[in-house]
Amino acid sequence: MSVYKKEYFGIARKIVSNMTTESWRSIPHVAATYEADVTELIKCCRRLNAMRPRSQEKITLNTVMLKIICEGLKAAPKMNTTLEFNRRLVRGTLKYHDTIDISMPMVLPSGEMMTVNMRDMGNKSLREMTAAINDTVRRAKNSDMNEVMFEVSMDNTIKGLKNGKIAQTVCRLIGSKTPGKHMVKTLSGEARKKYYSIPQSERLTKRDIEQGTTTVSNLGSIHRNQNGFATLIEIIPPQTTAFAINAVQDRAVVVTGADGRQSIEIRRILPITIVTDHRALDYGDCVPFANRLDEIFERPEVIFSWLGDNEKASEKESA
């Protein structure tokens, strides 16, 4: 067997590999799949965008799904938690959060994948969520991700040092700054000065890629022709949940009519992968989440109440 190519990890791959290794090493994952019938929801999304001025940004199905997941988490607040657990002493502390900060993997203009923190998405309207996502994409175009990720990496290293993780700190510095093929390269000299002269409002900073309270990956946007769904994705500690929005697929579904008769119809199904940390949650803790999603997909016109005050009024006038 011959090797025709070697690819050395850059800082993005280093961070991802380190975090996912820690995830599988420490977290007992439990996965379930919720299969959402989005046939009527997609129609509502089309109506929602048709009534908006052309000058306004389109509200995507992905944004609507993020909002739906937020609504589910509001109904099941134990799923929007972070966990501190000491296995040696068998001591655990579950921290509940009053905001839903979504760690959301996104593809950057360079083709790299990076997870950004979309803060307080649970309290935002669909219009505000759209603006926040678009602003993050805009700022990413002006960002050097090696610089951003190195800032986060150094911040985590310093925190580890303060917590007594001296050996880990030394190993990280050796792995990232020792000259050679594995060295992390960052800006220096005039290039560094020019980059950091860009206002923080115009580029991503370490605050944008700090940990959220949960992770939502939109796999369907990456692979729209996906058949099936993700069966498991990793939870990034200290988070206790992770979600994958898969691609919309046509499925033959048994539908019960108003007269009680059943028939088979072709429906649009969007599978949602739900993964929980079994140290913190049991399946029963997730039932309110599923029940809330049931309510939304049965009455998808509720999304019009999530637009924002001005647009809600416009929808009522047009109804």
Side-chain angles (χ1 to χ4, degrees), residues 80-84 93-97 212-214 238-240:
N80 186 50
T81 53
T82 52
L83 175 67
E84 287 183 1
T93 303
L94 199 59
K95 298 180 179 180
Y96 290 72
H97 300 281
T213 59
T214 189
Q239 297 174 4
T240 59

Side-chain angles (χ1 to χ4, degrees), residues 102-122:
I102 296 179
S103 294
M104 186 179 76
M106 63 184 296
V107 179
L108 302 171
S110 64
E112 295 178 293
M113 182 75 74
M114 177 45 56
T115 299
V116 295
N117 187 340
M118 304 306 304
R119 296 176 183 274
D120 198 17
M121 295 298 264

Side-chain angles (χ1 to χ4, degrees), residues 9 27 30 37 47 51 65 71-72 116 127 129 136-137 142 166 181 205 213 216 259 271 277:
F9 282 8
I27 297 177
V30 177
D37 186 336
R47 282 174 53 204
M51 64 181 244
M65 290 304 303
E71 291 298 306
V116 295
R127 177 170 49 84
M129 292 174 76
T136 300
V137 172
N142 299 326
I166 298 173
K181 295 176 180 177
T205 68
T213 59
V216 182
D259 57 1
D277 184 336

Side-chain angles (χ1 to χ4, degrees), residues 132-175:
I133 293 170
N134 289 340
D135 182 64
T136 300
V137 172
R138 178 187 66 81
R139 289 185 292 121
K141 294 177 181 178
N142 299 326
S143 302
D144 185 305
M145 296 314 300
N146 278 354
E147 289 295 318
V148 181
M149 289 182 285
F150 189 70
E151 286 181 25
V152 173
S153 179
M154 287 302 297
D155 190 55
N156 290 338
T157 298
I158 292 170
K159 287 179 181 177
L161 188 61
K162 290 180 179 178
N163 292 329
K165 298 179 180 179
I166 298 173
Q168 181 190 76
T169 300
V170 172
C171 288
R172 284 188 175 184
L173 290 173
I174 292 173

Side-chain angles (χ1 to χ4, degrees), residues 239-277:
Q239 297 174 4
T240 59
T241 55
F243 304 86
I245 301 172
N246 297 274
V248 177
Q249 301 160 41
D250 291 337
R251 300 267 188 88
V253 178
V254 176
V255 177
T256 303
D259 57 1
R261 293 185 179 183
Q262 293 184 322
S263 61
I264 296 177
E265 295 182 10
I266 302 299
R267 307 286 291 181
R268 311 301 309 279
I269 303 298
L270 191 158
I272 303 170
T273 308
I274 305 168
V275 188
T276 58
D277 184 336

Side-chain angles (χ1 to χ4, degrees), residues 39 45 55 59-60 96 99 124 139 148 165 168 171-173 179 189 197 239 275 295 306 312:
T39 309
C45 287
S55 59
I59 295 174
T60 66
Y96 290 72
T99 61
K124 285 182 169 62
R139 289 185 292 121
V148 181
K165 298 179 180 179
Q168 181 190 76
C171 288
R172 284 188 175 184
L173 290 173
S197 68
Q239 297 174 4
V275 188
E295 294 172 357
W306 299 339
K312 277 189 272 187

